[in-house]
Amino acid sequence: MNRIYMDNAATTAVSRQVLDKMLPYFTDVYGNASSIHGTGRDARKALEEARRQVASVLNCKPQEIYFTSGGSESDNWAIKGTAFANRRKGGHIITSAIEHHAVLHTCQWLEKQGFTVTYLPVDEYGQVDPRDVEAAITDKTILISVMAANNEIGTIQPIREIARIARAHQVYFHTDAVQAMGAIPMDVQEIGCDMLSLSAHKFHGPKGVGALYIRQGVRIDNFMHGGAQERGKRATTENIPGIVGLAEALKLATQDLEEKSARIAALRDQLIDGLTAIPYTRLNGHRTNRLPNNCNISIRFVEGEALLLRLDLAGIAASSGSACTSGSLDPSHVLLAIGLPHEIAHGSLRFSLSDATTQEEVDTVLRTLPGIVETLRSMSPLYADFMEAQK
Amino acid sequence: MYSDKVLDHFSNPRNVGEIPDADGVGTVGNAKCGDIMRMYLKVDDSGIITDVKFKTFGCGAAIATSSMATEMVKGKTLKEALKLTNAAVAEALDGLPPVKMHCSLLAEEAVKAAVEDYMKKHPEAVID
């Protein structure tokens, strides 16, 4: 069976070009970048070249790039690191209700350590209102963290405006760009953020490696103790193959970004139009102000995991925000925050495309899903009751 | 994560549908939690379940446990149907992931709710 992969927001395939670039660093250039000998120096050279490459994409200095184990670590470090380093100034943090759990759970943990956190609401499309950010700032606020784009519904946040507000109030601004990186332009000078998280496996790089941009001068605690790596801030022998892979993947992902995004967005729009043509469905997130590769819909009277299983049996990989896939009793916090009732949030599906997505794949999904919805609705008591009430 | 049997009952559910002139109907669960099961029973004069159908809104496990539960009570007496346990439904499906055990409980409760509805409508019936 030909498998169709439309879960690129979960993770992506490592591109062949990235893998080829990484391989020599497992077997040939395997040195410890801290060693003084030639094998170590070669590894160090690759590390610093990767750092320069990432810095050039983000438009910052190489010494402002810190490699980490991934997006979650970058988020944890940015938030905990600035929270504890600036505690004397105050203990207040502002974030949004629809952040990734790497941000939300970190903030909830900080609340247990005595910090206070404001979780800003979002509108029906998942957008944070910059005026709400400004109104939430107090003389105790030390950090604002708002994602560049949402991982579930794809909504792009007004991070430039939020950054301006943060700077005017001398508050640090961190943005989780894990989903946005490689999908939309990310220039830290133009955005005006103080910290930015990214993760390689979201843009055809390897898993287990990410980066945190920290603007020079930001007061932040060291994250990992026990070595001089990453300017003493993040100990551990550097994952050179992973870091080389991250840099190469980032370079490739941001080449001809506009052209690629436009092509992917055209396929996304076909999916959105075709799938929302199924009766009693809705699009989640903003129609235009969204990531080019994200299509998230809610299908009434059916449950998300059942949809996913049926799609999987048809060879199509997608994801859902239903409780049954989140491992808890509640559906996705993002879908609830945009105001969806529980029963509609349970029936959500996310299709996330990549540069490799083809027209044929989109056509197959558009042909397959309506039949699956019909079958599941035919066995749904909710649908039967609804149709009965319509009579 | 699901056994082959669960996937089989999910993709080819047995006894799905409605019985318009059912002798007993039971609905359990709620949409907020993401699971609703409705069971329809047809019962003959001797208290034997001659037909059973279901409709379920829910995940793969919810649909599979509904399907399995209908197979397990079809042709049985009401008394036997009341003895159906969630553990027996789960076992018949070669097990369920721990987070899905509540689905099998829902299947047990749906059968019981349908039998209770029958008893209410047929106060003369005795389950010995």
Short mmCIF file of all heavy atoms in Angstrom, two decimals, chain B residues 35-67:
data_model
loop_
_atom_site.label_atom_id
_atom_site.label_comp_id
_atom_site.label_asym_id
_atom_site.label_seq_id
_atom_site.Cartn_x
_atom_site.Cartn_y
_atom_site.Cartn_z
N ASP B 35 -17.51 9.66 24.22
CA ASP B 35 -18.06 8.31 24.00
C ASP B 35 -19.56 8.30 24.29
O ASP B 35 -19.97 8.71 25.37
CB ASP B 35 -17.49 7.28 24.98
CG ASP B 35 -16.00 7.10 24.88
OD1 ASP B 35 -15.55 6.60 23.85
OD2 ASP B 35 -15.30 7.44 25.85
N ILE B 36 -20.34 7.82 23.33
CA ILE B 36 -21.76 7.53 23.60
C ILE B 36 -22.06 6.18 22.95
O ILE B 36 -21.71 5.95 21.80
CB ILE B 36 -22.72 8.58 22.98
CG1 ILE B 36 -22.47 9.95 23.59
CG2 ILE B 36 -24.16 8.17 23.19
CD1 ILE B 36 -23.38 11.01 23.04
N MET B 37 -22.67 5.28 23.74
CA MET B 37 -23.08 3.98 23.17
C MET B 37 -24.57 3.81 23.35
O MET B 37 -25.11 4.12 24.41
CB MET B 37 -22.40 2.84 23.93
CG MET B 37 -20.99 2.59 23.48
SD MET B 37 -20.35 1.16 24.34
CE MET B 37 -18.61 1.52 24.18
N ARG B 38 -25.20 3.29 22.30
CA ARG B 38 -26.64 3.00 22.39
C ARG B 38 -26.86 1.56 21.92
O ARG B 38 -26.39 1.19 20.86
CB ARG B 38 -27.43 3.98 21.52
CG ARG B 38 -28.93 3.85 21.66
CD ARG B 38 -29.65 4.96 20.92
NE ARG B 38 -29.36 6.25 21.52
CZ ARG B 38 -29.58 7.42 20.89
NH1 ARG B 38 -30.07 7.45 19.69
NH2 ARG B 38 -29.30 8.56 21.51
N MET B 39 -27.55 0.78 22.76
CA MET B 39 -27.82 -0.62 22.43
C MET B 39 -29.32 -0.83 22.26
O MET B 39 -30.12 -0.29 23.05
CB MET B 39 -27.37 -1.54 23.58
CG MET B 39 -25.88 -1.59 23.76
SD MET B 39 -25.16 -2.89 22.77
CE MET B 39 -23.44 -2.58 23.15
N TYR B 40 -29.68 -1.60 21.25
CA TYR B 40 -31.09 -1.93 20.99
C TYR B 40 -31.25 -3.45 21.15
O TYR B 40 -30.45 -4.21 20.60
CB TYR B 40 -31.47 -1.59 19.55
CG TYR B 40 -31.28 -0.13 19.17
CD1 TYR B 40 -30.03 0.34 18.78
CD2 TYR B 40 -32.36 0.74 19.16
CE1 TYR B 40 -29.87 1.67 18.41
CE2 TYR B 40 -32.20 2.08 18.78
CZ TYR B 40 -30.95 2.53 18.40
OH TYR B 40 -30.78 3.83 18.02
N LEU B 41 -32.27 -3.87 21.90
CA LEU B 41 -32.50 -5.31 22.11
C LEU B 41 -33.87 -5.71 21.57
O LEU B 41 -34.85 -4.97 21.69
CB LEU B 41 -32.46 -5.67 23.59
CG LEU B 41 -31.20 -5.38 24.39
CD1 LEU B 41 -31.41 -5.82 25.85
CD2 LEU B 41 -29.99 -6.08 23.79
N LYS B 42 -33.90 -6.90 21.01
CA LYS B 42 -35.17 -7.55 20.67
C LYS B 42 -35.21 -8.80 21.54
O LYS B 42 -34.27 -9.60 21.54
CB LYS B 42 -35.13 -7.91 19.18
CG LYS B 42 -36.47 -8.18 18.59
CD LYS B 42 -37.15 -6.87 18.19
CE LYS B 42 -38.62 -7.20 17.92
NZ LYS B 42 -39.52 -6.16 18.39
N VAL B 43 -36.28 -8.95 22.34
CA VAL B 43 -36.33 -10.06 23.30
C VAL B 43 -37.60 -10.88 23.05
O VAL B 43 -38.68 -10.30 22.85
CB VAL B 43 -36.36 -9.51 24.75
CG1 VAL B 43 -36.34 -10.64 25.77
CG2 VAL B 43 -35.17 -8.57 24.97
N ASP B 44 -37.48 -12.21 23.04
CA ASP B 44 -38.69 -13.02 22.81
C ASP B 44 -39.38 -13.36 24.13
O ASP B 44 -38.91 -12.96 25.21
CB ASP B 44 -38.36 -14.27 21.97
CG ASP B 44 -37.58 -15.31 22.74
OD1 ASP B 44 -37.40 -15.15 23.98
OD2 ASP B 44 -37.12 -16.29 22.12
N ASP B 45 -40.50 -14.09 24.06
CA ASP B 45 -41.32 -14.35 25.25
C ASP B 45 -40.57 -15.13 26.32
O ASP B 45 -40.88 -15.03 27.50
CB ASP B 45 -42.58 -15.12 24.84
CG ASP B 45 -43.47 -14.25 23.95
OD1 ASP B 45 -43.26 -13.01 23.97
OD2 ASP B 45 -44.32 -14.80 23.22
N SER B 46 -39.60 -15.92 25.90
CA SER B 46 -38.88 -16.70 26.90
C SER B 46 -37.66 -15.96 27.46
O SER B 46 -36.81 -16.55 28.12
CB SER B 46 -38.47 -18.05 26.30
OG SER B 46 -37.78 -17.84 25.09
N GLY B 47 -37.56 -14.66 27.14
CA GLY B 47 -36.48 -13.86 27.72
C GLY B 47 -35.14 -14.05 27.03
O GLY B 47 -34.09 -13.77 27.61
N ILE B 48 -35.21 -14.48 25.77
CA ILE B 48 -33.96 -14.64 25.03
C ILE B 48 -33.77 -13.45 24.09
O ILE B 48 -34.72 -13.01 23.42
CB ILE B 48 -33.95 -15.98 24.24
CG1 ILE B 48 -33.79 -17.13 25.25
CG2 ILE B 48 -32.81 -16.01 23.21
CD1 ILE B 48 -33.95 -18.50 24.66
N ILE B 49 -32.53 -12.92 24.07
CA ILE B 49 -32.21 -11.78 23.19
C ILE B 49 -32.05 -12.32 21.78
O ILE B 49 -31.05 -12.98 21.48
CB ILE B 49 -30.93 -11.07 23.68
CG1 ILE B 49 -31.14 -10.52 25.10
CG2 ILE B 49 -30.54 -9.94 22.72
CD1 ILE B 49 -29.88 -10.02 25.78
N THR B 50 -33.05 -12.05 20.94
CA THR B 50 -33.00 -12.61 19.58
C THR B 50 -32.25 -11.70 18.62
O THR B 50 -31.72 -12.16 17.62
CB THR B 50 -34.42 -12.85 19.04
OG1 THR B 50 -35.14 -11.62 19.16
CG2 THR B 50 -35.12 -13.93 19.83
N ASP B 51 -32.24 -10.41 18.93
CA ASP B 51 -31.48 -9.52 18.06
C ASP B 51 -30.93 -8.36 18.90
O ASP B 51 -31.52 -7.98 19.91
CB ASP B 51 -32.36 -8.97 16.93
CG ASP B 51 -31.51 -8.39 15.79
OD1 ASP B 51 -30.27 -8.60 15.80
OD2 ASP B 51 -32.07 -7.72 14.91
N VAL B 52 -29.80 -7.86 18.49
CA VAL B 52 -29.17 -6.74 19.19
C VAL B 52 -28.42 -5.90 18.17
O VAL B 52 -27.80 -6.43 17.26
CB VAL B 52 -28.26 -7.24 20.34
CG1 VAL B 52 -27.31 -8.32 19.87
CG2 VAL B 52 -27.46 -6.10 20.97
N LYS B 53 -28.57 -4.59 18.30
CA LYS B 53 -27.84 -3.67 17.40
C LYS B 53 -27.27 -2.53 18.25
O LYS B 53 -27.73 -2.27 19.37
CB LYS B 53 -28.78 -3.10 16.34
CG LYS B 53 -29.30 -4.13 15.35
CD LYS B 53 -28.71 -3.86 13.97
CE LYS B 53 -29.37 -4.67 12.87
NZ LYS B 53 -28.90 -6.07 12.83
N PHE B 54 -26.27 -1.85 17.68
CA PHE B 54 -25.69 -0.72 18.43
C PHE B 54 -25.38 0.45 17.51
O PHE B 54 -25.20 0.28 16.30
CB PHE B 54 -24.41 -1.14 19.17
CG PHE B 54 -23.19 -1.17 18.29
CD1 PHE B 54 -22.37 -0.04 18.16
CD2 PHE B 54 -22.84 -2.31 17.58
CE1 PHE B 54 -21.24 -0.06 17.33
CE2 PHE B 54 -21.72 -2.33 16.76
CZ PHE B 54 -20.92 -1.21 16.63
N LYS B 55 -25.32 1.63 18.16
CA LYS B 55 -24.75 2.81 17.50
C LYS B 55 -23.79 3.43 18.52
O LYS B 55 -24.14 3.57 19.69
CB LYS B 55 -25.83 3.82 17.12
CG LYS B 55 -26.54 3.44 15.84
CD LYS B 55 -27.07 4.65 15.10
CE LYS B 55 -27.43 4.24 13.67
NZ LYS B 55 -27.92 5.37 12.88
N THR B 56 -22.61 3.78 18.07
CA THR B 56 -21.61 4.34 18.98
C THR B 56 -20.90 5.54 18.37
O THR B 56 -20.49 5.50 17.21
CB THR B 56 -20.58 3.24 19.36
OG1 THR B 56 -21.22 2.29 20.19
CG2 THR B 56 -19.39 3.83 20.10
N PHE B 57 -20.78 6.59 19.19
CA PHE B 57 -19.91 7.72 18.88
C PHE B 57 -18.71 7.55 19.78
O PHE B 57 -18.87 7.52 21.00
CB PHE B 57 -20.65 9.03 19.19
CG PHE B 57 -19.75 10.23 19.35
CD1 PHE B 57 -19.23 10.89 18.25
CD2 PHE B 57 -19.42 10.71 20.62
CE1 PHE B 57 -18.40 12.01 18.40
CE2 PHE B 57 -18.59 11.82 20.78
CZ PHE B 57 -18.08 12.47 19.66
N GLY B 58 -17.56 7.36 19.21
CA GLY B 58 -16.39 7.17 20.07
C GLY B 58 -15.20 6.67 19.30
O GLY B 58 -15.24 6.55 18.07
N CYS B 59 -14.14 6.37 20.05
CA CYS B 59 -12.87 5.98 19.45
C CYS B 59 -12.92 4.54 18.94
O CYS B 59 -13.94 3.86 19.05
CB CYS B 59 -11.76 6.14 20.47
SG CYS B 59 -11.95 5.05 21.89
N GLY B 60 -11.80 4.07 18.44
CA GLY B 60 -11.71 2.72 17.91
C GLY B 60 -12.11 1.67 18.94
O GLY B 60 -12.86 0.73 18.64
N ALA B 61 -11.64 1.83 20.16
CA ALA B 61 -11.94 0.86 21.22
C ALA B 61 -13.42 0.89 21.58
O ALA B 61 -14.03 -0.15 21.85
CB ALA B 61 -11.10 1.15 22.46
N ALA B 62 -14.03 2.06 21.55
CA ALA B 62 -15.45 2.18 21.89
C ALA B 62 -16.29 1.43 20.86
O ALA B 62 -17.23 0.69 21.21
CB ALA B 62 -15.85 3.65 21.95
N ILE B 63 -15.95 1.59 19.60
CA ILE B 63 -16.69 0.90 18.53
C ILE B 63 -16.45 -0.61 18.60
O ILE B 63 -17.39 -1.41 18.52
CB ILE B 63 -16.31 1.49 17.15
CG1 ILE B 63 -16.88 2.92 17.04
CG2 ILE B 63 -16.83 0.61 16.01
CD1 ILE B 63 -16.38 3.72 15.86
N ALA B 64 -15.20 -1.01 18.82
CA ALA B 64 -14.88 -2.45 18.88
C ALA B 64 -15.54 -3.12 20.08
O ALA B 64 -16.05 -4.25 19.97
CB ALA B 64 -13.37 -2.64 18.91
N THR B 65 -15.55 -2.46 21.24
CA THR B 65 -16.16 -3.10 22.42
C THR B 65 -17.69 -3.18 22.26
O THR B 65 -18.29 -4.16 22.68
CB THR B 65 -15.83 -2.34 23.73
OG1 THR B 65 -16.17 -0.97 23.58
CG2 THR B 65 -14.38 -2.48 24.11
N SER B 66 -18.29 -2.17 21.62
CA SER B 66 -19.73 -2.25 21.36
C SER B 66 -20.04 -3.46 20.48
O SER B 66 -20.95 -4.24 20.76
CB SER B 66 -20.23 -1.01 20.61
OG SER B 66 -19.74 0.16 21.16
N SER B 67 -19.25 -3.58 19.43
CA SER B 67 -19.45 -4.67 18.48
C SER B 67 -19.30 -6.03 19.18
O SER B 67 -20.15 -6.92 19.04
CB SER B 67 -18.44 -4.53 17.34
OG SER B 67 -18.36 -5.70 16.57
#
